[in-house]
Amino acid sequence: MKLTSYLIINGQAEEAANFYANVLGGKVENLYRYDSMPPCPEMPIPEECKQMIMHCCIIFHGGSMSVADTLPHDKRDFGNKGHMMTLDCDSIAQAEEVYAKLTEGAQKIECELAEAFFAKRYAEVVDRFGVLWAIMYDEN
């Protein structure tokens, strides 16, 4: 079994996917736009949404995640409402690098990157897309 996070981002999925691929040292794959869908009378795609991302996957060492835009009639938004993405880093240097990238344009730094009683490094950042990330490194 494998668990994959799927972020729903209103109108900024392509920017977010590229940002997260950079942060995680990965690449964007399987990118599909809404204009690639067959016509569906039950769910018409507005002209202004046809180039938005219907689905894409970000592949990185240790995992993957998916990102999509929503259509105007769909009110879902990932944000940080009760969900947090957690990155278990392989080193202090990696934790510092990821933290630096996620804090670029961040909405809020909940907890600065520092040593904690449970980890050598820990931080919480609400990134530029409103996604809450926990960054952690522990030698154990």
Side-chain angles (χ1 to χ4, degrees):
M1 185 181 314
K2 180 180 171 185
L3 176 67
T4 301
S5 293
Y6 205 115
L7 303 180
I8 305 298
I9 300 180
N10 294 325
Q12 295 179 297
E14 189 162 10
E15 180 184 352
N18 290 321
F19 176 72
Y20 296 137
N22 179 39
V23 167
L24 301 168
K27 61 182 179 175
V28 176
E29 294 187 348
N30 301 321
L31 189 146
Y32 300 98
R33 298 185 187 280
Y34 280 103
D35 70 352
S36 66
M37 287 178 54
C40 178
E42 297 84 37
M43 190 175 82
I45 307 300
E47 193 62 39
E48 66 274 11
C49 298
K50 289 189 176 182
Q51 289 303 305
M52 293 171 67
I53 305 303
M54 181 184 79
H55 169 81
C56 73
C57 188
I58 301 155
I59 307 294
F60 54 93
H61 178 73
S64 66
M65 63 188 283
S66 296
V67 178
D69 283 309
T70 58
L71 294 172
H73 68 275
D74 189 344
K75 300 301 180 204
R76 289 179 292 170
D77 187 9
F78 180 79
N80 62 354
K81 298 167 182 69
H83 185 85
M84 177 168 56
M85 304 289 285
T86 303
L87 290 173
D88 290 316
C89 297
D90 296 328
S91 66
I92 289 174
Q94 186 180 50
E96 291 170 345
E97 178 183 352
V98 167
Y99 177 78
K101 289 179 178 180
L102 283 173
T103 56
E104 290 175 20
Q107 292 180 13
K108 187 174 184 183
I109 297 172
E110 296 282 349
C111 176
E112 295 277 346
L113 184 66
E115 190 164 344
F117 72 92
F118 55 87
K120 292 292 181 186
R121 292 293 182 276
Y122 182 79
E124 290 183 10
V125 177
V126 178
D127 73 18
R128 65 176 75 171
F129 301 102
V131 178
L132 176 60
W133 292 83
I135 303 150
M136 184 163 50
Y137 169 71
D138 194 15
E139 294 175 335
N140 299 327

